[in-house]
């Protein structure tokens, strides 16, 4: 009797230590143990195996909208379905929330692992019945093969996970094989993402300003604020590299707010020095613009800084405003009512039609640099800039040409009645102090004589 008691106790103990309470699936420890064995095995037999990371798409949303008990039941139902698709010799483990890892201890070729991934994706096409809810969900899968994609369980799981994230980025409901380029990118990205999280508190950002020349008056009419990030080890990182990461991670909200506050404070300083009509342009990214609190945030910032809202120019790209038209029009109208000035950035690269431009309450169009680049030599680009300028003028909008680098470009755009230019010819983006000469002197005049 003593021994059966002990056996039972041992079983209970094993159950607790090696199995997930919610799904009854083996836990990570047991999984890693089996994976280690499989790695040893393929090494001896010169065979191969695969590790899959499978993550439910939008699981957080299900949890948030339907509640955790439903989320838990979904996890259970998913586990059951996974086991149905897989062989007994395979191992599935839940690693967190809606995330699973799967061990295929033996695959003869890459396609075998791909086939399993496809079978898993297909298995998600039928709804999961939970209480009265028919829940549809898909999943994203990353595959790492061993020994090729890693010789230890840690590396394999990490690499399958990186591949899974690529699946998510590329549209979800799909699988992705690991490759060395994923390794490099995801590592670099991870480093950037982590340091981006700390960049604010470490005060690694600053704003540069690029002055704009008014071709009608020969004056510096304003400047565009452009963010700069100086990483303590990696040096200067261009905004094109970190703004997309900030957008994806949501860090764009605190960063964007900091940009706006800093630019408004600077504008206030210029006001106090007597340059009241000087305008400051601030870029708003798509995610920032579509954020519910944006209008309040802008309003608060203007009020706190005490600047005249009409000297604040908000730049939105064409693709940002062409998304969710109704919501966009409303947001633009609210910003406009507040008195802010609105510009469409990178104009000509998206799909705006004249009709939409008419309905949006905007003030300025910025012709994208790609047209300005060849405006002197390319007849098509010349026709395009000409058309944009005359169309904008008929709608009573001002036109800024971006990325003007040569005197020839300036002259040509001027002959087309372009209102304002911005570009290296006039000035590169410069630190705050270097803007003072543009405010004080007539540097701008010499460009229009
Ligand atoms: P953008 O808004 O189109 O800004 C203009 C970019 O063109 C700037 O690059 C500027 O330095 C560069 N540029 C200006 N004139 C010339 C020229 O004559 N020749 C050439 N080759 N380049 C010129 P930058 O500062 O690297 O910024 C790149 C992009 O990053 C910006 O494009 C904008 O989309 C984004 N960005 C920069 N600062 C911010 C910010 O504070 N918030 C947000 N959301 N995005 C920002
Ligand atoms: Ca811009
Ligand atoms: Ca631009």
């Amino acid at each position: 009797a003593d021994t059966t008691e002990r056996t039972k106790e041992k079983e209970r103990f094993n159950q607790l230590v090696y199995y997930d309470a919610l799904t009854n699936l083996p836990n990570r420890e047991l999984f890693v143990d089996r994976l280690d064995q499989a790695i040893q095995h393929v090494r001896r037999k010169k065979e191969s195996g695969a590790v899959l990371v499978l993550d439910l798409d939008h699981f957080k949303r299900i949890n948030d909208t339907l509640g955790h008990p439903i989320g838990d039941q979904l996890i259970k139902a998913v586990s059951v379905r996974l086991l149905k698709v897989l062989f007994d010799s395979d191992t599935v483990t839940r690693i967190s929330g809606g995330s699973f890892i799967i061990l295929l201890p033996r695959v003869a070729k890459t396609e075998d692992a791909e086939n399993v991934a496809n079978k898993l994706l297909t298995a998600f096409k039928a709804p999961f019945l939970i209480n009265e809810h028919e829940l549809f969900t898909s999943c994203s899968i990353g595959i790492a093969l061993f020994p090729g994609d890693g010789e230890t369980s840690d590396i394999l799981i990490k690499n399958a996970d990186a591949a899974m994230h690529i699946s998510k980025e590329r549209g979800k409901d799909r699988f992705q094989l690991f490759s060395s380029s994923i390794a490099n990118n995801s590592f670099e990205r991870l480093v950037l993402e982590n340091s981006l999280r700390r960049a604010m508190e470490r005060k690694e950002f600053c704003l540069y300003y690029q002055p704009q020349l008014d071709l009608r008056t020969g004056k510096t009419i304003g400047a565009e604020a452009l963010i700069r990030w100086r990483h303590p080890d990696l040096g200067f990182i261009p905004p094109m590299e970190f703004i997309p990461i900030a957008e994806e991670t949501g860090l764009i909200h605190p960063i964007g707010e900091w940009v706006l506050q800093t630019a408004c404070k600077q504008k206030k300083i210029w006001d106090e020095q007597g340059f009241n009509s000087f305008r400051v342009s601030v870029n708003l990214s798509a995610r920032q613009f579509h954020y519910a609190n944006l209008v309040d945030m802008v309003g608060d910032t203007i009020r706190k800084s005490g600047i005249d809202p009409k000297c604040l120019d908000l730049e939105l790209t064409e693709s940002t405003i062409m998304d969710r038209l109704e919501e966009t029009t409303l947001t633009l109208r609210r910003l406009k009512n507040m008195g802010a000035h609105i510009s469409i950035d990178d104009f000509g690269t998206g799909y705006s039609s004249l009709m939409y431009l008419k309905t949006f309450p905007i003030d300025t169009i910025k012709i994208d640099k790609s047209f300005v680049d060849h405006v002197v030599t390319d007849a098509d680009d010349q026709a395009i800039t000409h058309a944009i300028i005359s169309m904008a003028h008929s709608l009573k909008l001002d036109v800024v040409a971006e990325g003007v680098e040569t005197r020839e470009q300036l002259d040509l755009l001027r002959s087309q009645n372009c209102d304002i230019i911005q570009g290296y010819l006039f000035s590169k983006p410069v630190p705050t102090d270097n803007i003072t000469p543009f405010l004080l002197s007539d540097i701008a005049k010499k460009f229009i004589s």
Side-chain angles (χ1 to χ4, degrees), residues 224 283 315 345 366 402:
E224 176 177 4
N283 292 286
E315 294 194 6
D345 205 353
K366 298 187 81 173
E402 290 192 286

Side-chain angles (χ1 to χ4, degrees), residues 137-194:
T137 184
S138 57
C139 63
S140 302
I141 300 174
I143 306 175
L145 299 163
F146 57 91
D149 294 336
E151 293 191 10
T152 67
S153 47
D154 278 355
I155 293 177
L156 282 167
I157 295 171
K158 200 185 88 217
N159 287 348
D161 191 60
M164 183 277 290
H165 280 286
I166 301 290
S167 278
K168 294 257 179 201
E169 264 174 40
R170 297 191 181 160
K172 306 186 173 68
D173 191 15
R174 63 191 293 289
F175 72 82
Q176 175 73 47
L177 285 171
F178 176 78
S179 68
S180 54
S181 77
I182 290 178
N184 295 335
N185 287 339
S186 58
F187 179 70
E188 271 169 28
R189 206 202 122 103
L190 206 69
V191 170
L192 275 193
E193 199 180 311
N194 283 334

Side-chain angles (χ1 to χ4, degrees), residues 18 26-33 93-95 101 154 157:
Y18 294 116
N27 68 10
R28 193 180 178 120
E29 259 184 303
L30 192 50
F31 182 94
V32 168
D33 195 46
T93 294
R94 187 167 69 106
I95 35 178
I101 26 178
D154 278 355
I157 295 171

Side-chain angles (χ1 to χ4, degrees), residues 16 95 107 156 271 300 302 341-342:
L16 280 175
I95 35 178
V107 294
L156 282 167
D271 279 352
D300 280 353
I302 292 176
H341 191 272
I342 292 162

